[in-house]
Amino acid sequence: MSRKTLSIAPRSVILLVGMTFGCGELVESAFAQEWRVVDTGQDACYSATGPIECPPGGSAFYGQDAQYRGNQPAYRDNRDGTVTDLVTGLMWAQALNEKVTWGEAVVGASRFTLAGYDDWRLPTIKELYSLIDFRGGFHFTPSASKPYIDTDYFAFEYGDESAGERPIDVQVWSGTRYVGTTMRNGETVFGVNFADGRIKGYPMYEPRSDGTIEHRMFIRYVRGNQGYGQNDFADNGDGTVTDRATGLLWQKADDGVTRDWQDALAYCEELVLAGLGDWRLPNAKELHSIVDYRRAPAVTGTAAMDPVFEVTEAQSYYWTSTTHLDGPIKRMGRAAVYVAFGQAFGYVQMPPGSGNYRLGDAHGAGAQRSDPKRGDPAEYPHGRGPQGDDIRIYNYARCVRSGAMPTGP
């Protein structure tokens, strides 16, 4: 792959990518790359039960996040209360502003000034998620945990237990509203939790307040590169789709099979498609880059994915190669990240405490959560966690290529 920087647009480059078309002939195609997916930062390997030495090619668990090196996170502290992301071109407010309602966050952006700039905005969920760092992990107490954001550059604080908050209450609003509703048909906005490493749809109003008490979360404003997160898909006619915005080449259709994490890694490593054999399971940020937040099964009848892709099941969850370092330290590494392109279901007791569980959309299509890497879903009849997150274990895989280089043998 050759790369030539041009001056036609900020942070745009021309990439020459080899692609096969109908007859199988390899041709060189030029397109403008408008934004770059930041690597997750994950630099250690894990089996289904815990940390391991990174395995060689062809071995079990080869192909996971740490074994491919993408656009490494890089920041500049501007010494004026702002931080520039040198990969995305976005400029961020360094401070984590106080908790406010979503409406206050939206209005506040139009009034916010910092470092001489007045063009700040509430970030989209893709912009906000670009900051997540999967070297983080939550292990119940702040002292045992590590934030999912680089605290050398960004202010961070765990929830205030003296005020009745949980340590994990570090949810940050995005500007992306869910097209559907969650929980009890509540209006919902997506946010990132930098304490527990998840994207969820959060209610605009406190549950059981009948729409009278607005929910409050942190905010962090952003400016610059307004094209970040906008896809530009092209169907190559050979079972692959190019996102000309990011430079990533995607498998057009999943193969209709759900797998545990180990088998999903192996499937992508062994895939030969369009004459190409260097496919891999995408990391969390790469897979999240193709979520289409204009879509959701309950509203559009489709998965939250552009119709250029073929989806076996609208209510689908897709594995990533990224391990989720959550839960007890002695069990660390047993879960991996998935993105819900269908509704992110959860089991809720209706009425509360009744023992009668109802499966509903807990966190919205486009949420990012995690599943055990192996096991029996029947062991989780009412899900897991405070919202009874639906546990499937056997999820789909959609493979990717280009954009990251192997790091191991």
Side-chain angles (χ1 to χ4, degrees):
M1 181 185 297
S2 61
R3 178 178 296 177
K4 181 181 179 182
T5 304
L6 299 184
S7 59
I8 55 175
R11 304 199 67 79
S12 293
V13 297
I14 288 292
L15 298 185
L16 296 178
V17 178
M19 291 184 232
T20 59
F21 291 85
C23 61
E25 179 183 4
L26 186 66
V27 299
E28 295 295 327
S29 173
F31 57 88
Q33 181 186 5
E34 299 298 334
W35 53 285
R36 293 189 288 172
V37 178
V38 185
D39 193 81
T40 67
Q42 194 159 98
D43 54 8
C45 291
Y46 303 86
S47 68
T49 58
I52 57 172
E53 293 293 325
C54 286
S59 300
F61 299 107
Y62 180 78
Q64 58 185 283
D65 190 338
Q67 297 188 281
Y68 287 94
R69 184 177 177 84
N71 300 307
Q72 295 301 294
Y75 302 106
R76 182 181 67 234
D77 185 340
N78 298 314
R79 307 296 181 185
D80 57 5
T82 71
V83 175
T84 297
D85 186 326
L86 301 176
V87 177
T88 67
L90 296 169
M91 179 182 285
W92 293 91
Q94 193 167 36
L96 192 63
N97 286 23
E98 64 181 10
K99 291 185 177 182
V100 298
T101 69
W102 189 71
E104 290 171 337
V106 173
V107 172
S110 64
R111 302 171 179 170
F112 187 70
T113 60
L114 178 65
Y117 300 104
D118 60 5
D119 57 344
W120 297 92
R121 63 182 184 271
L122 197 59
T124 68
I125 191 61
K126 290 189 179 181
E127 290 171 331
L128 188 59
Y129 193 65
S130 72
L131 296 178
I132 200 165
D133 187 325
F134 278 98
R135 288 168 290 194
F138 184 73
H139 310 298
F140 304 120
T141 64
S143 61
S145 304
K146 181 178 180 180
Y148 286 84
I149 193 168
D150 191 336
T151 54
D152 287 341
Y153 293 92
F154 297 98
F156 175 88
E157 58 185 82
Y158 285 103
D160 184 358
E161 295 181 85
S162 67
E165 296 180 339
R166 302 169 302 170
I168 61 170
D169 286 332
V170 196
Q171 303 91 344
V172 181
W173 289 119
S174 80
T176 303
R177 291 186 66 161
Y178 183 33
V179 295
T181 59
T182 61
M183 298 299 182
R184 297 170 178 83
N185 298 317
E187 295 180 83
T188 300
V189 178
F190 286 101
V192 177
N193 189 323
F194 290 97
D196 73 3
R198 291 172 171 86
I199 294 173
K200 291 182 178 179
Y202 294 100
M204 294 180 68
Y205 294 89
E206 293 290 346
R208 296 184 289 277
S209 75
D210 295 323
T212 60
I213 302 175
E214 293 185 83
H215 188 58
R216 292 178 174 271
M217 300 197 328
F218 287 113
I219 52 173
R220 176 172 270 126
Y221 291 129
V222 71
R223 61 177 299 277
N225 195 1
Q226 295 192 33
Y228 188 90
Q230 299 179 23
N231 303 105
D232 182 12
F233 295 119
D235 188 335
N236 300 315
D238 59 1
T240 70
V241 172
T242 299
D243 185 351
R244 293 177 292 206
T246 64
L248 295 172
L249 185 67
W250 291 93
Q251 183 184 19
K252 178 179 172 67
D254 63 68
D255 71 342
V257 178
T258 57
R259 300 171 169 86
D260 67 14
W261 189 67
Q262 180 180 348
D263 286 346
L265 289 169
Y267 166 68
C268 287
E269 288 295 323
E270 295 166 4
L271 179 67
V272 176
L273 177 63
L276 302 168
D278 56 344
W279 296 90
R280 57 188 171 81
L281 194 63
N283 70 34
K285 289 187 179 180
E286 289 169 330
L287 186 59
H288 181 251
S289 77
I290 63 171
V291 177
D292 187 338
Y293 283 97
R294 300 168 298 179
R295 306 175 190 277
V299 178
T300 61
T302 66
M305 195 180 299
D306 191 281
V308 71
F309 294 102
E310 295 177 8
V311 179
T312 295
E313 180 185 0
Q315 300 287 14
S316 53
Y317 300 170
Y318 284 81
W319 278 124
T320 77
S321 64
T322 305
T323 292
H324 194 221
L325 304 178
D326 194 31
I329 291 178
K330 65 181 181 180
R331 298 175 61 87
M332 188 173 67
R334 297 190 179 191
V337 171
Y338 69 81
V339 175
F341 286 88
Q343 291 160 266
F345 288 114
Y347 290 87
V348 181
Q349 292 190 64
M350 294 292 289
S354 66
N356 297 315
Y357 288 87
R358 186 184 71 181
L359 186 65
D361 191 354
H363 299 126
Q368 174 257 294
R369 303 188 302 196
S370 62
D371 255 0
K373 293 176 176 177
R374 67 166 57 145
D376 183 356
E379 295 178 3
Y380 305 90
H382 301 134
R384 183 175 66 177
Q387 286 86 42
D389 292 2
D390 177 32
I391 301 297
R392 297 186 182 180
I393 300 174
Y394 293 88
N395 298 316
Y396 292 96
R398 187 174 301 273
C399 309
V400 72
R401 70 177 295 274
S402 72
M405 299 298 293
T407 60

